[in-house]
Amino acid sequence: MKIKRMICLGLLLAVLPALSGCWYLVAGGAGAYGGYKMKEKGYTLRNPIAKEKSSPQPSK
């Protein structure tokens, strides 16, 4: 019984580093899905640093 537990623990420790890169894909997919749903509801993304258009000033 103890040998089986050690083998399972060893496999878990061997596979865990291989799965660490998958978390980036999961987070990216969740962000993309959230952005898609927000776009459906009418929200848009804008650049926070945008040049303001100058309004035409009346000439004197």
Side-chain angles (χ1 to χ4, degrees), residues 29-39:
Y33 180 74
Y36 177 76
K37 284 299 187 182
M38 294 296 281
K39 185 77 171 175

Side-chain angles (χ1 to χ4, degrees), residues 4-25:
K4 185 177 179 182
R5 182 180 236 178
M6 291 296 281
I7 290 173
C8 288
L9 182 63
L11 286 173
L12 179 67
L13 290 176
V15 171
L16 192 62
L19 293 176
S20 64
C22 294
W23 293 113
Y24 291 114
L25 294 174

Side-chain angles (χ1 to χ4, degrees), residues 16-55:
L16 192 62
L19 293 176
S20 64
C22 294
W23 293 113
Y24 291 114
L25 294 174
V26 170
Y33 180 74
Y36 177 76
K37 284 299 187 182
M38 294 296 281
K39 185 77 171 175
E40 280 183 350
K41 293 185 185 279
Y43 290 96
T44 58
L45 296 176
R46 293 188 306 182
N47 188 356
I49 303 172
K51 185 176 181 181
E52 292 182 15
K53 294 181 181 179
S54 59
S55 61

